[in-house]
Amino acid sequence: MKLVFKIAYNEWRNLFYSPIAWFLTIAFFVQCALVYSGSLHRYASMQEMGGFGRQGVHALTDGLFTSSYTGLFATAINNLYLYIPLLTMGLISREINGGSISLLYSSPIRMRQIVLGKYVAMALYNLLLLAVLLVFVVSGVFQITSPDIGLLLSALLGFYLLLNAFAAIGLFMSSLTSYQVVAAIGTFLIVGFLSYIGQLWQDIDFVRDLTYFLSLNGRTGHMLSGLIVTKDVLYFLVVIAMFLAFTIYKLKNASQSLPLRTKMMRYTVVVAAALCIGYIGSRPGVTGYWDTTANKVNTLTPNTQKIIVGLRKTPLEVTSYGNFLDPYSSFGRSDHRNEFMAKWEPYVRFKPDIQFNFVNYYDTAISDGYNMFSAYKGKTLKEVVDQRAKAGGFNISHYLRPDEIRKIIDLRPESNRYVMQLKYNGKSTYLRVFNDQQMWPSETEVSAAFQRLLETKMPKIMFAAGDQERDITKKGDRFYKSMTVQKTFREALINQGFDVDTLSLCDREIPDSITALVIADPLTSLSPASLEHVQQFINGGGNLLIAGEPGRQEMINPLLQPLGVKLMDGMLAQKSEDYQPSLVLPRMTQAALHLNGIADKPFLESIPVSMNGVAALSAVDTLGYNIRPLLRTVAGKTYNDQYARNPDMDMVSEPAVTASSLDTLNKKRHNSVAVKDTVYTTALALTRTIHGKNQKIVVMGDADFMSNAELFRNSPRACNFNFATALFGWLDNGQFPVDTSRPDSRDNNLKLSLDQAAVLKLVYVWLLPALLVISGAVLLIRRRRK
């Protein structure tokens, strides 16, 4: 080992007695300085700007260092191929070209000592490049409030392992030729091949696992995000060992007279051993994980982990169903299998025995307002499939026909879209993809699906029907389909773990087994039978959400009277230069923000809930309820307009006022003023204990707050989604939706001003590189004189 370090020391001296090492070190420093100082200046500018600009100043450790777009580490890694090949190209080719390799062959020094010595020299030089990054890391630690140290250390480890893997590849290529430029180009090619090999032979499961292990592409991704995975570390160690072994055998083969078969066998054994070790070490059951981040952002939340613990009795089966004609079918294709498994890796980490099955088929793509055959007039389904398969280069023989897939499962209720069916212990549920930018189900939706597999009683929300209440199956502005049963919408109740159905109040009694009953804006007065059924449900301790509308107080107040709550006459109006007076923007109270973890977010305190046509609520405790306001208007901005007309009445074709009466109402409304200290309540929560149950009732002065229109309102910004979801979570005692929220990051502030950032840029980009140039020049000149 002593001889190895002596060889390494000589190589180290040779590196720094030549201009190339100094030039590349300085170039690397300047590149890092430009990236870091540019990001630092941008964040300092946003911080000084304040307001909305200040919102971008968060998770600064990731933003400055590990972000895949502007982070220092990601940028440095993307350009490593420019540096390492230029350093390694002469390690052995210089010996070959100069003839000194013959002396090494005849010397008592072993080949592995030569190779290891030269490699150790490169590993030491790589520490110098790591030290360059460490300069900016240390700078960031002092300039960021509460930096994520674990994330930085993990990124440094990933960067150093990648440097050493490149060095081993470059060393091997240097042993193949006497031309240094050829060695550098060969290193580029090998790195490119290892980056691309993960896309080869994806149709064969075993081969796909092997090629994916050999793939260099994205290997540092986990460590740059703060997650150290044993299979990633093993990959770098195996690649380094494999190319060092290649180099040793190349030199041995050149100095020995052996048959070609023997020489090739050596390389074959090395490759086979590397693949075997890699395949075994990357199996889920033997893979270890260490999340080094402060908030454990790479680890499933405690609630999800608790749910997965309940799934440990038997294996979980996940079956992917992909329709060839569905835009999302690529999720289930074999050429995207590794991406699919990467999405499931956080769950496999805690449940390694998840079994994955993949079924591909073709059938008519069902979509609202879309007729697939309109673009293929006169063609059958099979002809359309053959045409698209030929254009895309797919072998359609591996896909099941419509009649074949329907013998296994009928996916027409799922619109023949891409879907995953989860099965556990005799129970099953669907996990869907969604029509948004993220598309893939998040931890919240996956956890909800897991939880449904464990529950013996599914949480069910029943919506009253029969008195022209809000419809949960229609897409119109005033209806509730998006919030309830829209399968392609992520936040819909059915995607958050709930069962949703309708119930006619007058036909039968309300089951006491349901989670909650929703009575939303009936347009006709409830019959005595309906009122009696509702009262029985309340007396039995059932949970309830009642939403009324201004102008229809007489429909709702008979329901509210036994509760001691009343929709006040008139309609609230809010004066605004941009919006109609009927759009009122109340804020969530502390009681609403603490309903559960979904609403307990600091940013929600300043974001209103949009209510287009809302009546104020008054409450008197008559039955022992604990009454808490959930939404309140801003003092001095809102008034109760006794003459206003609810805009919702025009949508349901209620009689309009005449022109003369409308003019009179407008004059009276013009004289209305908002009293300075008046605050109106627009949502109430009522709780009490009855029959051993903790009864929960929500009363809303507006039924539009979770309508299709208000949920998708772009302006003004509102938090109706958060509020509505929090309400149903509260009614379900926090079981669904599963709370997968995480603590906010703490590294959200820079300790320097914009002027100080400009000074640092001058130091990093000009001053420190100038000192390196002077140091290198002095050393090289002194060396030449000697």
Side-chain angles (χ1 to χ4, degrees):
M1 202 65 187
K2 190 174 182 180
L3 188 56
V4 170
F5 284 110
K6 184 174 289 188
I7 295 172
Y9 175 70
N10 287 330
E11 286 294 334
W12 174 265
R13 289 178 60 195
N14 290 334
L15 274 175
F16 281 93
Y17 286 152
S18 67
I20 184 68
W22 284 99
F23 173 77
L24 292 177
T25 303
I26 294 168
F28 184 71
F29 192 102
V30 172
Q31 181 190 47
C32 293
L34 288 171
V35 174
Y36 177 75
S37 60
S39 297
L40 196 67
H41 186 274
R42 184 176 65 257
Y43 282 115
S45 176
M46 289 189 291
Q47 182 169 286
E48 278 200 18
M49 184 187 303
F52 286 108
R54 187 66 175 81
Q55 295 179 3
V57 186
H58 69 281
L60 289 173
T61 310
D62 173 66
L64 283 171
F65 294 102
T66 61
S67 169
S68 58
Y69 297 104
T70 59
L72 175 61
F73 281 94
T75 305
I77 286 174
N78 289 337
N79 294 307
L80 269 187
Y81 69 93
L82 298 174
Y83 297 94
I84 301 301
L86 298 179
L87 288 165
T88 60
M89 63 184 184
L91 288 176
I92 297 179
S93 61
R94 182 175 60 247
E95 310 282 0
I96 298 173
N97 190 46
S100 57
I101 192 68
S102 300
L103 296 176
L104 293 176
Y105 287 154
S106 59
S107 69
I109 304 174
R110 295 180 177 181
M111 290 301 170
R112 68 169 178 268
Q113 292 174 320
I114 298 171
V115 172
L116 289 177
K118 291 179 177 291
Y119 181 73
V120 169
M122 278 304 304
L124 291 174
Y125 178 80
N126 291 341
L127 283 176
L128 180 61
L129 294 182
L130 194 70
V132 170
L133 282 180
L134 199 59
V135 170
F136 302 101
V137 168
V138 172
S139 174
V141 167
F142 285 101
Q143 290 155 3
I144 300 173
T145 302
S146 302
D148 195 336
I149 303 297
L151 173 61
L152 294 172
L153 294 177
S154 174
L156 285 168
L157 173 63
F159 182 76
Y160 186 64
L161 288 174
L162 184 63
L163 280 173
N164 288 336
F166 279 10
I169 295 171
L171 181 62
F172 170 63
M173 295 308 299
S174 180
S175 70
L176 297 179
T177 177
S178 60
Y179 299 100
Q180 297 186 25
V181 174
V182 174
I185 294 174
T187 304
F188 292 143
L189 294 177
I190 291 295
V191 170
F193 174 73
L194 288 179
S195 299
Y196 177 73
I197 193 173
Q199 302 178 31
L200 300 178
W201 305 299
Q202 297 297 290
D203 294 334
I204 307 171
D205 290 342
F206 178 73
V207 176
R208 179 176 56 247
D209 290 338
L210 294 180
T211 57
Y212 184 66
F213 173 76
L214 285 176
S215 176
L216 184 63
N217 189 30
R219 278 294 170 180
T220 56
H222 281 136
M223 282 179 270
L224 288 185
S225 65
L227 182 65
I228 299 175
V229 185
T230 55
K231 64 180 179 182
D232 291 335
V233 176
L234 179 65
Y235 169 81
F236 287 112
L237 297 179
V238 167
V239 167
I240 291 170
M242 183 172 68
F243 279 97
L244 289 180
F246 285 169
T247 308
I248 293 171
Y249 284 133
K250 169 62 180 67
L251 296 178
K252 281 187 174 183
N253 291 340
S255 63
Q256 298 173 350
S257 179
L258 296 173
L260 178 62
R261 181 177 60 183
T262 303
K263 295 179 180 180
M264 295 305 298
M265 185 59 68
R266 287 176 169 179
Y267 294 115
T268 303
V269 170
V270 171
V271 174
L275 290 176
C276 183
I277 294 171
Y279 182 80
I280 295 173
S282 61
R283 296 302 86 198
V286 297
T287 302
Y289 299 84
W290 181 20
D291 191 348
T292 64
T293 58
N295 286 339
K296 306 301 176 187
V297 296
N298 301 299
T299 304
L300 297 177
T301 57
N303 285 341
T304 303
Q305 293 182 45
K306 184 178 179 182
I307 293 171
I308 292 179
V309 168
L311 294 171
R312 287 187 175 175
K313 292 182 180 179
T314 59
L316 169 68
E317 183 180 344
V318 178
T319 303
S320 162
Y321 291 99
N323 179 7
F324 177 73
L325 296 176
D326 174 47
Y328 300 99
S329 63
S330 60
F331 287 126
R333 292 206 312 258
S334 59
D335 56 333
H336 287 72
R337 194 64 45 82
N338 290 325
E339 297 173 21
F340 178 93
M341 297 305 298
K343 294 179 186 297
W344 276 97
E345 187 176 6
Y347 309 96
V348 174
R349 171 183 173 184
F350 293 96
K351 187 171 175 58
D353 61 348
I354 299 180
Q355 300 173 357
F356 296 97
N357 304 309
F358 298 89
V359 178
N360 291 306
Y361 69 99
Y362 66 86
D363 203 346
T364 304
I366 303 172
S367 179
D368 293 336
Y370 169 70
N371 181 7
M372 182 188 70
F373 294 102
S374 62
Y376 300 93
K377 293 182 179 180
K379 292 191 176 184
T380 64
L381 175 65
K382 184 63 168 64
E383 290 172 336
V384 172
V385 170
D386 288 341
Q387 180 178 336
R388 296 182 65 168
K390 182 178 180 181
F394 297 104
N395 183 2
I396 206 64
S397 64
H398 299 305
Y399 288 73
L400 299 179
R401 301 189 309 270
D403 59 310
E404 292 175 327
I405 186 63
R406 289 171 193 169
K407 290 178 182 178
I408 301 173
I409 187 173
D410 187 0
L411 293 172
R412 284 174 291 184
E414 293 294 321
S415 301
N416 287 333
R417 286 168 55 92
Y418 178 82
V419 70
M420 290 168 283
Q421 186 183 47
L422 278 56
K423 291 182 179 179
Y424 177 79
N425 204 22
K427 300 181 67 176
S428 66
T429 189
Y430 285 124
L431 190 59
R432 304 175 178 92
V433 294
F434 307 105
N435 292 346
D436 54 28
Q437 291 184 339
Q438 184 179 344
M439 294 186 290
W440 192 260
S442 69
E443 183 182 339
T444 303
E445 290 79 54
V446 176
S447 300
F450 286 170
Q451 184 67 37
R452 285 179 63 85
L453 296 174
L454 295 173
E455 291 299 318
T456 56
K457 175 187 173 184
M458 292 297 102
K460 177 172 283 190
I461 307 295
M462 300 292 288
F463 283 77
D467 294 288
Q468 300 184 53
E469 292 91 347
R470 300 295 174 101
D471 199 311
I472 65 170
T473 64
K474 295 182 179 179
K475 287 187 171 182
D477 285 353
R478 65 189 306 272
F479 301 119
Y480 287 175
K481 183 174 183 178
S482 296
M483 189 68 207
T484 55
V485 298
Q486 183 69 50
K487 293 179 180 178
T488 60
F489 184 57
R490 183 181 303 275
E491 283 80 7
L493 293 177
I494 59 168
N495 292 321
Q496 297 297 321
F498 294 95
D499 285 340
V500 182
D501 206 348
T502 58
L503 171 71
S504 178
L505 296 178
C506 62
D507 290 343
R508 61 188 178 95
E509 293 183 356
I510 304 167
D512 58 4
S513 60
I514 66 174
T515 301
L517 172 68
V518 179
I519 304 175
D521 187 25
L523 299 184
T524 60
S525 298
L526 272 61
S527 67
S530 298
L531 290 172
E532 181 181 353
H533 291 157
V534 174
Q535 193 58 50
Q536 289 176 355
F537 182 70
I538 294 175
N539 293 340
N543 295 339
L544 196 65
L545 191 156
I546 303 175
E549 279 284 323
R552 291 192 281 272
Q553 283 89 340
E554 69 277 7
M555 314 295 180
I556 287 293
N557 279 335
L559 276 173
L560 301 179
Q561 189 273 331
L563 304 176
V565 179
K566 178 182 178 182
L567 258 70
M568 297 171 59
D569 294 334
M571 183 179 76
L572 294 181
Q574 182 170 320
K575 292 189 174 182
S576 170
E577 296 181 358
D578 300 310
Y579 308 105
Q580 68 274 19
S582 62
L583 182 61
V584 177
L585 304 171
R587 300 292 201 275
M588 282 196 280
T589 64
Q590 288 301 312
L593 291 169
H594 293 92
L595 284 175
N596 49 38
I598 297 171
D600 192 9
K601 307 293 181 186
F603 72 91
L604 292 178
E605 295 184 19
S606 60
I607 302 177
V609 173
S610 65
M611 308 183 96
N612 191 16
V614 56
L617 298 173
S618 63
V620 178
D621 185 4
T622 58
L623 292 176
Y625 287 102
N626 176 25
I627 300 179
R628 294 176 297 165
L630 299 179
L631 296 177
R632 278 183 167 170
T633 62
V634 179
K637 289 189 176 182
T638 310
Y639 59 93
N640 192 14
D641 191 342
Q642 298 290 332
Y643 310 102
R645 176 176 173 79
N646 185 353
D648 183 66
M649 292 182 175
D650 298 323
M651 301 176 67
V652 296
S653 301
E654 295 193 18
V657 294
T658 63
S660 59
S661 60
L662 182 61
D663 183 62
T664 302
L665 292 178
N666 286 334
K667 289 180 180 179
K668 292 180 178 180
R669 187 181 301 116
H670 182 73
N671 294 327
S672 301
V673 294
V675 182
K676 181 178 180 181
D677 297 323
T678 301
V679 174
Y680 296 95
T681 299
T682 60
L684 288 171
L686 291 74
T687 57
R688 68 172 177 176
T689 301
I690 182 171
H691 304 309
K693 298 180 180 179
N694 183 21
Q695 185 179 36
K696 300 177 179 180
I697 299 176
V698 177
V699 181
M700 305 291 302
D702 171 47
D704 292 319
F705 78 101
M706 61 175 179
S707 67
N708 298 329
E710 291 306 314
L711 289 181
F712 292 99
R713 176 182 287 276
N714 293 321
S715 179
R717 183 184 179 191
C719 60
N720 292 43
F721 273 129
N722 305 77
F723 179 67
T725 305
L727 286 182
F728 286 108
W730 181 66
L731 292 171
D732 190 38
N733 298 315
Q735 181 180 357
F736 291 102
V738 179
D739 183 12
T740 59
S741 59
R742 302 176 185 274
D744 293 327
S745 58
R746 294 182 297 170
D747 51 343
N748 300 327
N749 188 61
L750 284 175
K751 298 179 181 179
L752 78 168
S753 65
L754 189 59
D755 292 337
Q756 291 171 328
V759 172
L760 283 178
K761 183 176 182 178
L762 183 66
V763 171
Y764 292 144
V765 177
W766 296 102
L767 181 59
L768 293 182
L771 293 177
L772 286 176
V773 170
I774 294 171
S775 301
V778 170
L779 182 65
L780 292 174
I781 292 171
R782 291 182 62 185
R783 171 66 177 172
R784 179 170 295 182
R785 286 177 177 175
K786 289 183 179 181

